[in-house]
Amino acid sequence: MSVRVLVADDQEIVRTGLVMILDAQPDIEVVGEAADGRRAVELARRLRPDVCLFDIRMPGLDGIAATRALAGPDVADPLAVVVITTFDLDEYVYAALRAGARGFLLKNAGAQLLSQAVHAAAGGDALIAPSVTARLLDAFARTGPAGPPVRPVEALTDREEEILVTVARGRTNGEIADEFHISLSTVKSHIASLMAKLGARNRVEIAMWAYETNRVRS
């Protein structure tokens, strides 16, 4: 089954390039395009794509507002959104993640990382450009969290604390499995437990909680 993607970017040449890159992948299909945030939200609600790929700076409704409308904490049936931008600005990244984005990439990320981010989002995972992950999360945990960190519904185990730190540092499930000499299914089980205890929707929110509670330093 192909991953169905909606692409929104107000620059036609950029949007066309993104569509070409994605359509060149054998297991990704672009099902819609939009040049502004309002049209993107309208199309997303009608087409229900597996992943929405949104530029941050768009007229009418920007990518963050569009993300919040489709994937925010108050959305009953959220869609997967990956935000992509030319601007490596911390406030953009943090706002996008708070709005519910499952990924954040720079437009120079390349076809491979773009494809990985789309597949991660479609699978319920999350991917942030490695160049911004630790710097962003650490900086905003100290300066601009949305509120006090949540309290886990149950204390984390020692192994969950270890997994938490690796997730916050941007490690993939495969890398975590190799580091701790455990199976992929065990890693997924630990991450599912972390999400349940923290009320997190994805590994990005797990990572933000780790930084907000000073469990990780850049």
Side-chain angles (χ1 to χ4, degrees), residues 14-217:
V14 174
R15 190 172 67 252
T16 300
L18 291 171
V19 170
M20 289 177 62
I21 290 171
L22 293 171
D23 270 340
Q25 307 300 315
D27 49 4
I28 295 177
E29 175 192 4
V30 176
V31 296
E33 300 178 43
D36 65 78
R38 294 192 190 284
R39 176 63 174 160
V41 170
E42 174 189 319
L43 277 176
R45 286 174 172 162
R46 178 160 58 85
L47 298 174
R48 300 297 298 180
D50 300 310
V51 178
C52 300
L53 184 65
F54 288 170
D55 182 28
I56 277 190
R57 297 181 68 170
M58 293 189 289
L61 195 70
D62 65 26
I64 292 171
T67 298
R68 189 177 298 110
L70 297 170
D74 298 327
V75 177
D77 189 15
L79 290 170
V81 179
V82 174
V83 171
I84 185 166
T85 181
T86 307
F87 305 95
D88 184 10
L89 298 177
D90 288 342
E91 58 264 33
Y92 282 170
V93 193
Y94 197 77
L97 300 182
R98 282 296 184 195
R102 284 195 194 163
F104 185 97
L105 293 177
L106 301 179
K107 289 181 181 177
N108 64 1
Q112 183 177 3
L113 198 58
L114 179 61
S115 176
Q116 288 176 359
V118 166
H119 282 292
D125 212 334
L127 185 151
I128 309 173
S131 61
V132 300
T133 304
R135 187 195 77 237
L136 149 85
L137 291 173
D138 187 41
F140 277 87
R142 289 183 282 106
T143 61
V150 300
R151 295 178 63 87
V153 295
E154 184 182 338
L156 306 189
T157 66
D158 290 343
R159 179 46 61 90
E160 286 170 350
E161 290 280 1
E162 292 172 338
I163 299 290
L164 176 75
V165 171
T166 60
V167 169
R169 287 178 174 151
R171 303 288 194 272
T172 65
N173 285 355
E175 289 169 340
I176 296 171
D178 290 342
E179 180 174 342
F180 294 108
H181 306 290
I182 56 180
S183 68
L184 272 175
S185 61
T186 300
V187 175
K188 292 177 181 178
S189 177
H190 284 307
I191 290 175
S193 179
L194 283 168
M195 289 171 62
K197 288 182 178 181
L198 302 177
R201 293 175 298 173
N202 53 53
R203 67 198 297 131
V204 173
E205 294 185 357
I206 292 174
M208 286 196 288
W209 187 84
Y211 279 92
E212 289 173 353
T213 54
N214 298 316
R215 282 166 162 79
V216 184
R217 290 295 181 192

